[in-house]
Amino acid sequence: MVLTAAPETATRGEKDRLLQEAVRVLLRNWHGYATVPSRSLYPHQWSWDSAFIALGLQHISAARAATELLSLFGAQWADGRIPQIAFNPAVPDDAYFPGPSVWRSSAIDGHPPIATSGIIQPPLHAVAVASIVQQMDDPGLGFAERAYRCLIDQNAYIRDRRTVAGGLAVLVHPWETGLDNSPAWDHPLAAVPADLSLFDTYTRRDVAHAGAGERPTDQDYARYIRLMLRYRDHGYDDDWVRAKAEFLVVDPAFNALWAWSQLALAEMARRLGRDDSEHLSEAARVTEAMVDQLWSEERALFLARDARSGRLQPERTVAGLIPLVLPGLPPAVVDSLVATATGEAFRIGTPDVHGVPSFDLTDVRHEPRRYWRGPTWLNTTWLVARGLQVHGHQQLAQRLDDDLVGLVAKSGFREYFHPRTGRGHGTRSFSWSAALLIHVLAESD
Ligand code: GLC
């Protein structure tokens, strides 16, 4: 395949200007012990955002990157779960919906000292910690020890409380996937009643900060709220939820990041003088289970499985490419994934597409401006680029990194981008867009 150069490859001067702006975004979004994804739309600390943010922050200050993650680990529950949101007590309850008074985490035994949501997000934290520890030399070992213990508990929670038959992790809410309104959830979500009268009691805050055409619909939002209220009303009990949830999915991106985090933990274990063998065998086990249970020969992609019906969901989404981060994939699977990534569904590396679209360009449901139903996001683009690098596709990986920089140069630190025009959408001054720009430029120097 012939790669065309990214049309908007930035010059050195422009890169320096973008770096300065990115640092400013992260400093403005820092609230004393952690970084908000966006001051307007997301005024608290989000779990996987903090992992992406720490990857960028480490190039400004490794200590600040460590603080970002330790603050999040401070919100870890006694059962090991690292919650999707750690609420900032200084922010009014109604600044974000659903806020602390809706989640009611303080009613749970073993709740952390601050209010949190009760669901989880993709476990990218070990990868971020391992990267920071590499920069820290000896003084980093105190941080490494503390973080390692929290990460072990996080992994034990996923393994013991969140797996289903077959040994893969299962998610109980679309927000747990990080790709909230992905078309892969349309079918499983259809089984969840959408009660619009919920909005007599609750008010969506997100549509005040971004256009309704760029956010999930009211129907989907009503389903999200119903799912969270039911889990909450059963004390966030995972035995209950695995048996009775109206939404239960096995997601390839979450499981891939879980396996990847085991490889990062193995690296940390070696650095801390511990045995790495358990982490390595967990990574191999999850990788194998994914190939066994989520790989589709027909779609040439990893697919999500609805754990209630047992059916694979046919939608081709960026989540299906993220397993590329795993070095243990069979070579034939890697080849097929690269063919799918460069083929009609995603068209990466071609002049008419920027980054990796979140959803199949050929599907009638593709919406280039709506959240996870088409736009390019920088975090998933970065993950696919790392995966391509793992498997020796340096040129294609470089092209995605150039696209990441080019999108920011063209449209600023937006939350997501139109995959064909590169125009920015969603909120502005978005932290992980800034952090990943810093990280990509630092790694390429
Ligand atoms: C949205 C995204 C999610 C992210 C959060 C905060 O909900 O879908 O992945 O963590 O915003 O940025």
Side-chain angles (χ1 to χ4, degrees):
M1 176 203 158
V2 182
L3 272 184
T4 43
E8 57 289 272
T9 302
T11 61
R12 184 71 253 172
E14 192 161 20
K15 284 180 185 169
D16 288 344
R17 179 184 66 77
L18 292 175
L19 262 180
Q20 274 184 6
E21 275 180 33
V23 170
R24 252 184 257 132
V25 167
L26 289 188
L27 295 183
R28 272 202 307 266
N29 289 351
W30 175 259
H31 63 62
Y33 57 85
T35 311
V36 295
S38 136
R39 287 225 167 248
S40 51
L41 190 55
Y42 308 111
H44 299 281
Q45 181 174 24
W46 257 257
S47 171
W48 80 326
D49 294 61
S50 276
F52 290 115
I53 290 165
L55 284 168
L57 270 184
Q58 66 177 323
H59 306 290
I60 307 172
S61 154
R64 188 170 275 198
T67 303
E68 174 86 32
L69 290 166
L70 289 175
S71 300
L72 181 69
F73 299 157
Q76 187 165 27
W77 289 25
D79 64 9
R81 85 183 76 187
I82 292 182
Q84 165 230 16
I85 305 176
F87 290 109
N88 179 351
V91 171
D93 188 89
D94 64 357
Y96 179 79
F97 175 77
S101 64
V102 187
W103 288 98
R104 298 188 197 153
S105 62
S106 59
I108 302 300
D109 279 349
H111 70 82
I114 60 164
T116 74
S117 67
I119 56 174
I120 56 176
Q121 265 195 327
L124 185 71
H125 314 89
V127 169
V129 169
S131 176
I132 296 164
V133 167
Q134 253 184 8
Q135 309 242 3
M136 286 182 119
D137 300 326
D138 283 350
L141 289 181
F143 165 64
E145 271 293 351
R146 272 177 73 187
Y148 183 76
R149 280 197 294 269
C150 298
L151 293 165
I152 295 290
D153 292 347
Q154 176 193 33
N155 274 282
Y157 169 75
I158 298 171
R159 186 195 59 220
D160 300 340
R161 309 293 301 149
R162 281 306 195 88
T163 48
V164 277
L168 290 177
V170 75
L171 301 176
V172 304
H173 196 293
W175 293 341
E176 292 199 316
T177 68
L179 276 59
D180 306 9
N181 68 338
S182 166
W185 317 139
D186 286 358
H187 191 76
L189 259 191
V192 181
D195 175 7
L196 293 181
S197 72
L198 277 172
F199 297 116
D200 298 343
T201 319
Y202 299 118
T203 307
R204 285 180 71 170
R205 301 269 162 215
D206 58 321
V207 279
H209 300 291
E214 302 180 6
R215 300 284 308 174
T217 60
D218 272 354
Q219 265 79 6
D220 280 347
Y221 226 83
R223 294 183 168 110
Y224 301 154
I225 300 310
R226 176 183 168 95
L227 289 172
M228 70 152 289
L229 293 177
R230 290 185 84 226
Y231 192 27
R232 178 196 75 182
D233 293 344
H234 288 87
Y236 299 109
D237 175 358
D238 292 313
D239 287 333
W240 174 83
V241 86
R242 281 180 296 179
K244 295 277 196 273
E246 292 172 335
F247 179 92
L248 269 183
V249 300
V250 180
D251 171 43
F254 187 101
N255 279 283
L257 297 183
W258 182 31
W260 200 26
S261 80
Q262 291 293 345
L263 295 175
L265 283 175
E267 191 185 316
M268 285 178 65
R270 288 192 292 276
R271 206 180 150 88
L272 293 168
R274 296 169 191 247
D275 181 20
D276 63 0
S277 54
E278 228 174 90
H279 299 308
L280 293 175
S281 59
E282 263 299 272
R285 179 189 70 75
V286 175
T287 305
E288 208 176 301
M290 286 182 58
V291 174
D292 223 41
Q293 299 165 41
L294 305 182
W295 174 250
S296 162
E297 202 61 51
E298 193 196 326
R299 303 291 273 166
L301 194 68
F302 285 92
L303 301 177
R305 190 178 286 282
D306 181 341
R308 295 176 82 231
S309 68
R311 284 202 202 100
L312 280 178
Q313 303 304 300
E315 288 83 6
R316 295 191 287 191
T317 78
V318 65
L321 296 173
I322 289 175
L324 275 170
V325 297
L326 300 174
L329 289 184
V333 166
V334 173
D335 291 348
S336 293
L337 280 175
V338 174
T340 301
T342 51
E344 55 164 19
F346 299 100
R347 300 182 61 80
I348 72 166
T350 61
D352 52 336
V353 165
H354 305 263
V356 188
S358 48
F359 181 49
D360 193 340
L361 292 159
T362 68
D363 193 294
V364 289
R365 284 170 295 165
H366 179 91
E367 289 183 79
R369 278 174 290 270
R370 196 188 291 278
Y371 221 38
W372 292 101
R373 304 180 74 87
T376 288
W377 289 67
L378 299 191
N379 65 330
T380 42
T381 296
W382 180 81
L383 286 168
V384 173
R386 302 292 65 77
L388 290 164
Q389 213 170 24
V390 164
H391 296 285
H393 292 275
Q394 309 302 349
Q395 250 193 312
L396 212 41
Q398 182 61 51
R399 170 58 200 269
L400 290 184
D401 286 347
D402 289 346
D403 278 5
L404 187 155
V405 176
L407 283 168
V408 172
K410 180 180 162 79
S411 303
F413 297 99
R414 298 299 295 263
E415 192 178 4
Y416 40 92
F417 303 84
H418 191 299
R420 292 193 188 268
T421 66
R423 283 187 55 185
H425 293 284
T427 193
R428 293 165 198 273
S429 297
F430 189 59
S431 292
W432 82 38
S433 298
L436 290 173
L437 176 110
I438 296 172
H439 191 45
V440 160
L441 291 183
E443 299 277 285
S444 71
D445 274 347

